Amino acid sequence: MKVVSVVGARPQFVKLAPVSAALEDAGHDHVIVHTGQHYDSRMSDVFFEQLAIPAPAVHLGVGSGRHGAQTGRMLAELDVVLDDQRPDWVLVYGDTNSTIAAALAAVKVHLPLAHLEAGLRSFNRRMPEEHNRVLTDHASDLLLAPTALAMDNLAREGLAGRSILVGDVMTDICLSVQARVRGVRPPEVRRQVGDDPYVLATVHRQENTDDVDRLGRLVEALRGLDLPVLLTAHPRLVDRSAAAGVSLTGGALRLLPPLDYADMVAALDGARAAVTDSGGLQKEAYLLGTVCTTMRSETEWPETLHGGWNAIVPSPPDDLNPVALRPVPTTPRSSPFGEGFAARDVVAALVRRA
Ligand code: UD1
């Protein structure tokens, strides 16, 4: 079986790692195409190196831009690349502009399309990611769903016949990396806080970064936390806050460069609490047992709300302490995301439906 994986943004490299290893273990032909949506070394290369992902066979170097221009450039390039490769499956990941571009390219050259992480919904149609995932699901021949709730969402949209529950591949890699890094503080964390308790924060969603007033209130709320807040610097956050004149230091805030995957898992595992707008981090916090606060109106991973492990905060409050530093729940966590063998099941599903 020949599979072409199309990836381009940081979380997709994390998802690609276990899938690539499982395809290789099973002896399949796997071609990786990188759109170039993320291009900084810390946003891309370090993930390939650290997670032992083979270098992409094709790199489109598309780079940043307005959504339409960026997606359009990818579509034009992928149309040619996919037609040239003619795999048994085009495999796309998650909900970024790289995902929707590859999905459209695949269907236009009549190639079977599989969507990994299918069926997630925020039901917030202001999010570019919501359109990317809904449209990709409806274009796909095979929907690889991470959770039972995702399967329900797909069934409600008439897609049950094309859907398979495989579990979450990010869980595979998160649990295996956790076993390696548990108890070891990353150097960037140690440099900022030594052995003291801290909050890990990430902000990158368009709804938080591109509204100046909201961004200002969010940063102010983080500044006012009672523990040091290690804020990892996503390029969108750095870019938009500089343009808006919002400083990312002061008060409790300490700015960290983007972390590689192992350091991110270790930093999250060792944190007293997490504050984030990332989907992946909410789930990783749940898996690692770190109490999480999500600075958004909704979550695509409602399973994480179970027992108070995750809490939604739709609008930044004057005082974030009561929610962000609430006691760590004692409710046992279940395994809604699978047991860490999703990549193996992804490969089995691709073989079965090829
Ligand atoms: C993208 C995804 C988002 C995902 C996120 C993970 C879309 C619509 N959004 O958002 O779903 O959660 O990736 O990180 O696809 N930039 C750099 N260096 C880079 C990449 C980007 O400096 O390597 C800067 C540029 O100023 C760029 C901005 O970051 O304009 C935003 O990058 P972009 O890829 O458009 O979206 P993300 O916010 O990263």
Side-chain angles (χ1 to χ4, degrees), residues 58-97:
V58 181
H59 197 300
L60 303 178
V62 160
S64 301
R66 291 175 58 92
H67 284 279
Q70 183 186 52
T71 310
R73 281 199 299 273
M74 293 178 196
L75 174 57
E77 301 271 345
L78 286 166
D79 179 68
V80 179
V81 171
L82 296 182
D83 205 21
D84 183 42
Q85 293 283 342
R86 307 289 325 163
D88 298 298
W89 284 110
V90 176
L91 183 57
V92 297
Y93 300 71
D95 56 15
T96 73
N97 289 344

Coordinates of all heavy atoms in Angstrom, one line a residue, residues 58-97:
V58 N 8.8 15.8 -0.4 CA 8.5 17.0 -1.2 C 8.2 18.1 -0.2 O 7.5 17.9 0.8 CB 7.2 16.8 -2.0 CG1 6.9 18.0 -2.8 CG2 7.4 15.6 -2.9
H59 N 8.8 19.3 -0.4 CA 8.6 20.4 0.5 C 8.1 21.6 -0.4 O 8.9 22.0 -1.3 CB 9.9 20.8 1.2 CG 9.6 21.7 2.4 ND1 9.0 22.9 2.3 CD2 9.8 21.5 3.7 CE1 8.9 23.5 3.5 NE2 9.4 22.6 4.4
L60 N 6.9 22.0 -0.2 CA 6.4 23.0 -1.1 C 6.8 24.5 -0.8 O 6.6 25.4 -1.6 CB 4.8 22.9 -1.1 CG 4.2 21.6 -1.5 CD1 2.7 21.6 -1.4 CD2 4.7 21.2 -2.9
G61 N 7.2 24.7 0.5 CA 7.7 26.0 0.8 C 6.7 27.1 0.7 O 7.0 28.3 0.3
V62 N 5.4 26.8 1.0 CA 4.4 27.8 0.7 C 4.4 29.0 1.7 O 4.2 30.2 1.3 CB 3.0 27.1 0.8 CG1 1.9 28.1 1.0 CG2 2.8 26.3 -0.5
G63 N 4.8 28.8 2.9 CA 4.9 29.9 3.9 C 3.6 30.6 4.3 O 2.5 30.0 4.1
S64 N 3.8 31.7 5.0 CA 2.6 32.4 5.6 C 1.9 33.3 4.5 O 2.4 33.5 3.4 CB 3.1 33.3 6.7 OG 3.7 32.6 7.7
G65 N 0.7 33.7 4.9 CA -0.1 34.6 4.1 C -1.6 34.6 4.5 O -1.9 33.9 5.5
R66 N -2.4 35.4 3.8 CA -3.8 35.4 4.1 C -4.3 34.0 3.9 O -3.8 33.3 3.1 CB -4.5 36.4 3.2 CG -4.2 37.9 3.6 CD -4.9 38.8 2.6 NE -6.3 38.6 2.5 CZ -7.2 39.3 3.3 NH1 -6.7 40.2 4.1 NH2 -8.5 39.1 3.2
H67 N -5.4 33.6 4.6 CA -5.9 32.2 4.5 C -6.1 31.8 3.0 O -5.7 30.7 2.6 CB -7.2 32.1 5.3 CG -7.0 32.1 6.7 ND1 -6.6 30.9 7.4 CD2 -7.1 33.0 7.7 CE1 -6.5 31.2 8.7 NE2 -6.8 32.5 8.9
G68 N -6.8 32.7 2.3 CA -7.1 32.3 0.9 C -5.9 32.1 0.0 O -5.8 31.1 -0.7
A69 N -5.0 33.1 0.1 CA -3.7 33.0 -0.7 C -2.9 31.8 -0.3 O -2.4 31.0 -1.1 CB -2.9 34.2 -0.5
Q70 N -2.8 31.5 1.0 CA -2.0 30.4 1.5 C -2.6 29.1 1.1 O -1.9 28.2 0.5 CB -1.9 30.5 3.0 CG -1.0 29.4 3.7 CD -1.1 29.5 5.2 OE1 -2.2 29.4 5.8 NE2 0.0 29.5 5.8
T71 N -3.9 28.9 1.3 CA -4.6 27.7 0.9 C -4.5 27.5 -0.6 O -4.3 26.4 -1.1 CB -6.0 27.7 1.4 OG1 -6.0 28.1 2.8 CG2 -6.7 26.4 1.3
G72 N -4.7 28.6 -1.3 CA -4.7 28.5 -2.8 C -3.4 28.0 -3.3 O -3.3 27.2 -4.3
R73 N -2.3 28.6 -2.8 CA -1.0 28.2 -3.2 C -0.7 26.7 -3.0 O -0.2 26.0 -3.8 CB 0.1 29.0 -2.5 CG 0.3 30.4 -3.1 CD 1.7 31.0 -2.7 NE 1.8 31.1 -1.2 CZ 1.4 32.2 -0.5 NH1 0.8 33.2 -1.1 NH2 1.6 32.2 0.8
M74 N -1.2 26.3 -1.8 CA -1.0 24.8 -1.5 C -1.8 24.0 -2.5 O -1.3 22.9 -3.0 CB -1.5 24.5 -0.1 CG -0.7 25.1 1.0 SD -1.5 24.7 2.5 CE -0.8 25.8 3.7
L75 N -3.0 24.4 -2.7 CA -3.9 23.6 -3.6 C -3.3 23.4 -5.0 O -3.2 22.3 -5.6 CB -5.3 24.2 -3.7 CG -6.3 23.7 -4.7 CD1 -6.5 22.2 -4.4 CD2 -7.6 24.4 -4.6
A76 N -2.8 24.5 -5.5 CA -2.2 24.5 -6.9 C -1.0 23.6 -6.9 O -0.8 22.8 -7.9 CB -1.8 25.9 -7.3
E77 N -0.1 23.6 -5.9 CA 1.1 22.8 -5.9 C 0.7 21.3 -5.7 O 1.2 20.4 -6.3 CB 2.0 23.2 -4.8 CG 2.5 24.6 -4.9 CD 3.7 24.8 -5.7 OE1 4.4 23.8 -5.9 OE2 4.0 25.9 -6.1
L78 N -0.2 21.1 -4.7 CA -0.6 19.7 -4.4 C -1.3 18.9 -5.5 O -1.2 17.7 -5.6 CB -1.4 19.7 -3.1 CG -0.7 20.0 -1.8 CD1 -1.6 20.3 -0.7 CD2 0.2 18.8 -1.4
D79 N -2.0 19.7 -6.3 CA -2.7 19.1 -7.4 C -1.7 18.3 -8.3 O -2.0 17.2 -8.7 CB -3.4 20.2 -8.2 CG -4.1 19.8 -9.4 OD1 -5.1 19.1 -9.3 OD2 -3.6 20.1 -10.5
V80 N -0.6 18.9 -8.5 CA 0.5 18.3 -9.4 C 1.2 17.2 -8.6 O 1.4 16.1 -9.2 CB 1.5 19.4 -9.8 CG1 2.6 18.8 -10.7 CG2 0.8 20.6 -10.5
V81 N 1.5 17.4 -7.4 CA 2.3 16.5 -6.6 C 1.5 15.2 -6.4 O 2.0 14.1 -6.6 CB 2.7 17.0 -5.2 CG1 3.3 16.0 -4.3 CG2 3.7 18.2 -5.4
L82 N 0.2 15.3 -6.1 CA -0.6 14.1 -5.8 C -0.9 13.3 -7.1 O -0.8 12.1 -7.1 CB -1.9 14.5 -5.1 CG -1.7 15.1 -3.7 CD1 -3.1 15.4 -3.1 CD2 -0.9 14.2 -2.8
D83 N -1.1 14.0 -8.1 CA -1.4 13.4 -9.4 C -0.1 12.6 -9.9 O -0.2 11.5 -10.5 CB -1.8 14.4 -10.5 CG -2.6 13.8 -11.6 OD1 -3.2 12.7 -11.4 OD2 -2.6 14.4 -12.7
D84 N 1.0 13.1 -9.6 CA 2.3 12.5 -9.9 C 2.5 11.3 -9.0 O 3.0 10.2 -9.5 CB 3.4 13.6 -9.7 CG 4.8 13.0 -10.1 OD1 4.8 12.4 -11.1 OD2 5.7 13.3 -9.3
Q85 N 2.2 11.3 -7.7 CA 2.5 10.2 -6.8 C 1.4 9.1 -7.0 O 1.8 7.9 -6.8 CB 2.4 10.7 -5.4 CG 3.5 11.7 -5.0 CD 4.8 11.0 -4.7 OE1 4.9 9.7 -4.5 NE2 6.0 11.7 -4.8
R86 N 0.2 9.4 -7.2 CA -0.9 8.4 -7.4 C -0.9 7.3 -6.3 O -0.7 6.1 -6.5 CB -0.9 7.7 -8.7 CG -0.9 8.6 -10.0 CD -2.1 9.3 -10.3 NE -3.4 8.8 -10.1 CZ -4.5 9.6 -10.1 NH1 -4.4 10.9 -10.3 NH2 -5.7 9.0 -9.9
P87 N -1.0 7.7 -5.0 CA -1.0 6.7 -3.9 C -2.3 6.0 -3.8 O -3.3 6.4 -4.4 CB -0.8 7.6 -2.7 CG -1.4 8.9 -3.0 CD -1.2 9.1 -4.5
D88 N -2.3 5.0 -2.9 CA -3.6 4.3 -2.6 C -4.4 5.2 -1.7 O -5.7 5.1 -1.7 CB -3.3 2.9 -1.9 CG -2.6 2.0 -2.9 OD1 -3.1 1.7 -3.9 OD2 -1.4 1.7 -2.6
W89 N -3.7 5.9 -0.8 CA -4.4 6.9 0.1 C -3.7 8.2 0.1 O -2.4 8.2 0.3 CB -4.5 6.3 1.5 CG -5.5 5.3 1.7 CD1 -5.2 3.9 2.0 CD2 -6.9 5.4 1.8 NE1 -6.4 3.3 2.1 CE2 -7.4 4.1 2.0 CE3 -7.8 6.5 1.6 CZ2 -8.8 3.9 2.2 CZ3 -9.2 6.2 1.7 CH2 -9.6 5.0 2.0
V90 N -4.4 9.3 0.1 CA -3.9 10.6 0.6 C -4.4 10.7 2.0 O -5.6 10.6 2.3 CB -4.4 11.8 -0.3 CG1 -3.9 13.1 0.3 CG2 -4.0 11.6 -1.7
L91 N -3.5 10.9 2.9 CA -3.8 11.0 4.3 C -3.6 12.4 4.8 O -2.5 13.0 4.7 CB -2.9 10.0 5.1 CG -3.2 9.9 6.6 CD1 -4.6 9.5 6.9 CD2 -2.2 8.8 7.2
V92 N -4.7 13.0 5.3 CA -4.6 14.4 5.8 C -4.9 14.4 7.3 O -5.6 13.6 7.8 CB -5.5 15.4 5.1 CG1 -5.1 15.4 3.6 CG2 -7.0 15.0 5.2
Y93 N -4.4 15.4 8.0 CA -4.3 15.5 9.5 C -5.0 16.7 10.0 O -4.6 17.8 9.7 CB -2.9 15.4 10.0 CG -2.1 14.2 9.5 CD1 -1.7 14.0 8.2 CD2 -1.7 13.3 10.5 CE1 -1.0 12.9 7.8 CE2 -1.0 12.1 10.1 CZ -0.6 12.0 8.8 OH 0.1 10.9 8.4
G94 N -5.9 16.6 10.9 CA -6.4 17.7 11.7 C -7.2 18.7 11.0 O -8.1 18.3 10.2
D95 N -6.9 20.0 11.1 CA -7.9 21.0 10.7 C -7.2 22.3 10.2 O -7.8 23.4 10.3 CB -8.8 21.4 11.9 CG -8.1 21.8 13.1 OD1 -6.9 22.1 13.0 OD2 -8.7 21.8 14.2
T96 N -6.0 22.2 9.7 CA -5.3 23.4 9.3 C -5.6 23.7 7.8 O -6.2 22.9 7.1 CB -3.8 23.3 9.5 OG1 -3.3 22.5 8.5 CG2 -3.5 22.8 10.9
N97 N -5.0 24.8 7.3 CA -5.2 25.2 5.9 C -4.5 24.1 5.1 O -4.9 23.8 3.9 CB -4.6 26.6 5.6 CG -5.5 27.6 6.2 OD1 -6.6 27.4 6.6 ND2 -4.9 28.8 6.4

